Amino acid sequence: MAFDYKKEYKEFYLPPKTPTIVDVPAMNYLAVTGKGNPNEEDGAYKKAVGLLYAIAYTLKMSYKGDHHIDGYFQYVVPPLEGFWWQEGIKGVDYTHKNDFQWISLIRLPDFITPADFDWAIGEATRKKKQDFSPVEFLSYHEGLCVQCMHIGAYDDEPKTVAKMTAFAEENGYTSDFTDTRYHHEIYLSDPRKGSIDKQRTVVRHPIKPI
């Protein structure tokens, strides 16, 4: 059975619907950085997601070809994630989506090296005849955060965020948004399928002791 990061690391991908504190270790990601409204048809965000999945599946399926990745084991591609921010705002303002800046992400297994990443970029470029230069290999240590499972539409997240902020303060923490620490979302549901009311998104915010 393929290794599933969501099931093996539930503390990071399947938190409860009440806020919790988590210390997130360093991880490697595929990443594309951009800006603008994520809902824009044929916009930068949707193009970025397409690039990420193309490289993610090139790496996942590498065992069927000539490229050997040391330590490889079969795995489920981890869920899409996103870091979000806007200039001059701590957190995000959902009413001004055109002002969003973002890093769209897919986690990489630890056995995938920058050399494997470079191979995948070249392989996908050759096969798909696309420009994959926006995709980067990103190492990121998120650290101490408050998180919660949000159920429902993205625009309803402020209610969940308010609970997270109150919980953090009750436990001696305050928000710690910086130029390198962001509003973080992990998408466990495909918004094109099923009811929006049942959509699951992990919402995570950086914190520090008061």
Side-chain angles (χ1 to χ4, degrees):
M1 185 177 293
F3 187 93
D4 189 334
Y5 284 83
K6 297 189 302 298
K7 295 178 180 177
E8 299 297 331
Y9 296 99
K10 291 181 180 179
E11 67 269 36
F12 304 130
Y13 296 102
L14 296 171
K17 290 181 284 186
T18 53
T20 57
I21 305 296
V22 64
D23 194 352
V24 186
M27 300 179 188
N28 295 327
Y29 297 89
L30 298 172
V32 176
T33 301
K35 59 184 178 180
N37 190 332
N39 298 321
E40 182 182 351
E41 287 299 327
D42 202 33
Y45 178 78
K46 293 186 177 180
K47 290 178 180 177
V49 171
L51 295 176
L52 288 175
Y53 273 110
I55 300 302
Y57 277 94
T58 298
L59 288 162
K60 172 182 167 60
M61 303 306 293
S62 62
Y63 72 95
K64 291 191 172 184
D66 296 331
H67 183 77
H68 175 73
I69 297 178
D70 288 340
Y72 180 95
F73 52 78
Q74 291 203 39
Y75 61 96
V76 177
V77 170
L80 181 70
E81 308 184 32
F83 296 148
W84 299 87
W85 71 97
Q86 291 153 314
E87 293 298 329
I89 296 175
K90 290 189 176 182
V92 294
D93 178 356
Y94 297 79
T95 63
H96 292 84
K97 294 183 176 66
N98 289 335
D99 296 333
F100 272 136
Q101 300 190 55
W102 40 261
I103 304 174
S104 192
L105 309 150
I106 295 177
R107 182 181 178 177
L108 289 171
D110 292 342
F111 55 72
I112 292 177
T113 68
D116 297 317
F117 165 80
D118 290 342
W119 166 82
I121 293 291
E123 182 75 356
T125 300
R126 180 179 66 82
K127 287 187 173 181
K128 297 181 179 295
K129 312 300 182 186
Q130 284 183 256
D131 177 17
F132 287 94
S133 61
V135 185
E136 300 177 288
F137 184 100
L138 173 67
S139 295
Y140 186 78
H141 186 183
E142 193 166 16
L144 196 63
C145 297
V146 59
Q147 67 179 12
C148 189
M149 182 70 77
H150 172 73
I151 308 296
Y154 302 131
D155 286 348
D156 291 336
E157 283 182 14
K159 298 176 185 177
T160 298
V161 167
K163 291 194 299 183
M164 290 163 50
T165 301
F167 177 82
E169 291 176 351
E170 289 166 4
N171 286 274
Y173 299 96
T174 187
S175 297
D176 188 31
F177 295 104
T178 70
D179 290 342
T180 58
R181 304 195 79 199
Y182 316 99
H183 172 91
H184 186 176
E185 298 178 357
I186 303 175
Y187 308 107
L188 302 179
S189 303
D190 186 337
R192 299 169 299 179
K193 302 175 183 177
S195 170
I196 292 178
D197 292 340
K198 297 180 180 179
Q199 188 170 273
R200 297 186 304 158
T201 308
V202 180
V203 179
R204 187 182 292 163
H205 278 184
I207 56 174
K208 62 182 178 181
I210 294 174

